[in-house]
Amino acid sequence: MASLIDTFVPSSTYNTLPLISQVAGAPEDHSQDLQDLRELLNKHNVPKGVSVRLIHKHFDTTDGEVMVFDKIPVAGHGVVQIMKPIVPPNSNQLRGIHYFVDDNASLQAYEYGNYEVPEMCGFESFLAEFCSLVSARGLQRKFGLKLQHEDDTDQMGWTEYELHAKRGTIMFPDGMPMPDGDSDYSVTTEWKAIFNELPRTCKHTTTCRHGRTTCKHCKHCNSHDESHANCGDETGFCLGGQKILPGTPVHDIVNQIIAVF
């Protein structure tokens, strides 16, 4: 029987996950598979916060690290979400948020957070059927599950920027000052059971935007590209491949965020 495994994934496994650029074509190439997975969400009437996830990473982890989401209050601006690599404390309260189907046809967590997630007891038949379909069709490194608390599923859109100096990611809510970026291409990253809802999408450029509209990355600034890692200096720093200068609202925001990385 398939199960949800919340143990920490080793870096040797996490680092084999694809970059967004490597799975950008999966939603189109496997459109029927994706539709079949979404139909399972409907068939089993899973909690609202459960969705199909396009599996991808932003940065590699080192031995003992895992990627963790956190919410950070920013004085004068609101709350942002970050994802960063950490060595988990012994008093661990982290829960799996993103899962892939492993070689044993179970769902292994690969990114985590100290958040409430939907209760999946009673949905064993859904987990088993989901894992069986993914395994039978060879989709283990393309589609997995996201668990998100129902209270967070109607959140506003947000835009995601890679902070290479910290191997981290910053997610700005709509309406907050942020760098501009031109998109290169669009990739959908999350799909819910309700087919008339807008999916979360991802546009590849210097940013990554999720939520009700789009998600952006930079195809020349991925986790194996150091060309932008040190573009900041004493006059600013680099965010999403763009130099952020002092005196700007974005610089003030990121200064506060960097203090907690």
Side-chain angles (χ1 to χ4, degrees), residues 204-239:
H204 237 254
T205 180
T206 53
T207 66
C208 176
R209 180 182 183 87
H210 294 269
R212 298 188 181 276
T213 49
T214 60
C215 158
K216 302 177 182 177
H217 292 264
C218 176
K219 67 181 180 181
H220 58 273
C221 299
N222 58 43
S223 62
H224 299 292
D225 184 351
E226 298 301 324
S227 61
H228 294 274
N230 298 308
C231 70
D233 54 28
E234 67 275 4
T235 64
F237 48 74
C238 187
L239 183 66

Side-chain angles (χ1 to χ4, degrees), residues 45 74 110 120 123 151 171 174 205 217 222 225 238:
N45 193 28
V74 179
Y110 65 93
M120 297 303 292
F123 290 94
D151 292 345
M171 288 147 268
D174 284 351
T205 180
H217 292 264
N222 58 43
D225 184 351
C238 187

